[in-house]
Amino acid sequence: METSPTMGIIETHRDLLSRLLPGDTADELAVYEGQFHHVVIGSDRVVCLARTEAAAERLPERAAVLRALAGIDLGFRTPQPLSEGAQGTDEPPYLVLSRIPGAPLEEDALGSPEVAETVARQYVTLLSGLAAAGHEKARAALPEAPAGEWQEFAAGVRTELFPLMSAGGRERAERELAALDALPHLTSAVVHGDLGGENVLWETVDGVPRLSGVVDWDEVSIGDPAEDLAAIGASYGEELLGRVLALGGWADNGTAERISAIRGTFALQQALYAQRDGDEEELADGLGGYR
C-alpha cells in the first residue's frame, strides 16, 4: 500500500514529533502542506518543518517576526513560538508554535447572505486592525516593503521564469507584469502577505463563524493593504471582496486597480519563490498556466 504524503511526513519524523508533541498520537496528527513548510498539527501546538534548505535558514527570522507580532495589538490571535531546533544537529530544522483553535471556512460557508455579511464584517475588523498597527512600534519590528519591489519582482520573473515558459506563457506573464508598473509604493499598514482562506481560522459560535486567529506570517511587512484584499478575493470571490470593500470604505477605483494588478501575479509569485528555494513541486504548480 502506498503511503500518503501526510503519513509519510509523520512516519519520517516520528521520533521527533513524539518528543515535540508528547500529548498526541500519530493517528491524531494532521499535516498541512504550505508553500514553505510542512506543518504538523497537534492538539495544542504545531510543528513547522522546512520544505527546503532555504526555508530552513529562514526559520529563526520567522520566529523573531512572530515574537514581534505578539507585542503588537492586532485584535486577533497569532501563533507564539515555543521552541526551535538547534543548528548543527542531526535533527531536521523545526519551529514549534502554539496552535490557534479553529479551522478555515468551509467552501459552502458563505451560502447564507447573513453569514457572508458576518464574515465580511470580521474581515473588515481584521484589516482595520492591521492598518491601525502600521504605527511606529510595528515599523521598528517588521520589515518595510522596499520601493521598487514590484519592478524587482518583474525583473526576476523575466530572468528566472521566462526560460521555463512557452511563448504564450511569456505573453500572458508580460500582460500581468505590465499592470504592476502603475502600482504606487504604499507602506500604510501591516500586511500579512498571504491572507488566503487557508491562513484565516474560524470557530463556530451559535451557528455563526467567529474569527479565531491568523497563521503563516512568513511574508508579513509594512506595505499596501491591497495585497491582503487581493488574497481575500482570490479565496472567496468577487462577492465577498465587494462586501469587504464596501463595509471598510475602500471601494474606490484606485484600490480596485491595485487589487486587480496584485492578484494577477499570485501564480508568478508562487513560481518565483519556489524557483529560488529549489522547490520543484511548488514551481510546477505555479507555472502550470504558463507552459
Side-chain angles (χ1 to χ4, degrees):
M1 180 180 297
E2 185 176 343
T3 302
S4 70
T6 294
M7 288 307 299
I9 293 295
I10 293 173
E11 286 298 325
T12 299
H13 304 289
R14 176 177 289 273
D15 291 343
L16 176 65
L17 293 173
S18 66
R19 179 168 61 82
L20 299 178
L21 303 171
D24 300 299
T25 60
D27 59 354
E28 294 173 325
L29 302 176
V31 177
Y32 166 70
E33 299 282 337
Q35 181 172 356
F36 302 115
H37 308 96
H38 302 291
V39 182
V40 182
I41 304 172
S43 57
D44 62 357
R45 57 180 61 187
V46 301
V47 179
C48 300
L49 299 163
R51 291 174 59 105
T52 64
E53 290 184 8
E57 292 175 357
R58 294 193 296 267
L59 282 175
E61 178 183 355
R62 186 184 195 207
V65 164
L66 290 172
R67 292 189 184 96
L69 288 171
I72 302 170
D73 183 12
L74 294 175
F76 51 84
R77 285 175 285 192
T78 60
Q80 306 297 308
L82 301 177
S83 66
E84 303 172 50
Q87 299 293 324
T89 69
D90 292 334
E91 291 182 335
Y94 66 82
L95 178 62
V96 181
L97 305 174
S98 62
R99 178 180 177 180
I100 304 298
L105 287 175
E106 299 289 342
E107 290 185 10
D108 59 353
L110 302 179
S112 161
E114 293 79 9
V115 171
E117 184 77 4
T118 298
V119 168
R121 289 187 180 280
Q122 291 179 79
Y123 262 114
V124 170
T125 299
L126 185 162
L127 292 164
S128 297
L130 291 175
H135 48 56
E136 185 173 343
K137 185 174 182 180
R139 291 178 184 277
L142 301 175
E144 183 173 297
E149 64 168 329
W150 291 113
Q151 290 72 25
E152 182 179 343
F153 167 75
V157 169
R158 293 185 177 102
T159 301
E160 302 173 53
L161 297 183
F162 271 26
L164 308 176
M165 298 179 182
S166 66
R170 288 192 291 272
E171 291 178 4
R172 172 188 167 182
E174 281 289 7
R175 291 192 298 271
E176 293 165 346
L177 296 176
L180 300 176
D181 291 340
L183 286 178
H185 180 232
L186 300 179
T187 56
S188 59
V190 173
V191 174
H192 179 277
D194 190 15
L195 202 65
E198 70 278 4
N199 290 329
V200 182
L201 305 184
W202 305 78
E203 296 178 292
T204 301
V205 179
D206 296 330
V208 177
R210 182 180 69 185
L211 180 68
S212 177
V214 180
V215 299
D216 196 355
W217 291 85
D218 285 11
E219 299 177 55
V220 66
S221 67
I222 307 294
D224 184 353
E227 292 188 45
D228 286 342
L229 288 162
I232 293 171
S235 292
Y236 300 112
E238 296 301 323
E239 184 173 348
L240 183 72
L241 176 61
R243 287 175 183 262
V244 171
L245 292 173
L247 290 169
W250 305 310
D252 59 273
N253 288 336
T255 301
E257 290 172 359
R258 299 195 331 269
I259 291 170
S260 178
I262 293 168
R263 184 172 172 180
T265 68
F266 280 170
L268 292 174
Q269 288 186 48
Q270 175 183 333
L272 184 60
Y273 299 150
Q275 170 75 348
R276 291 174 174 175
D277 273 12
D279 191 326
E280 293 294 333
E281 182 179 346
E282 286 290 314
L283 175 63
D285 183 61
L287 286 182
Y290 299 89
R291 287 178 159 168

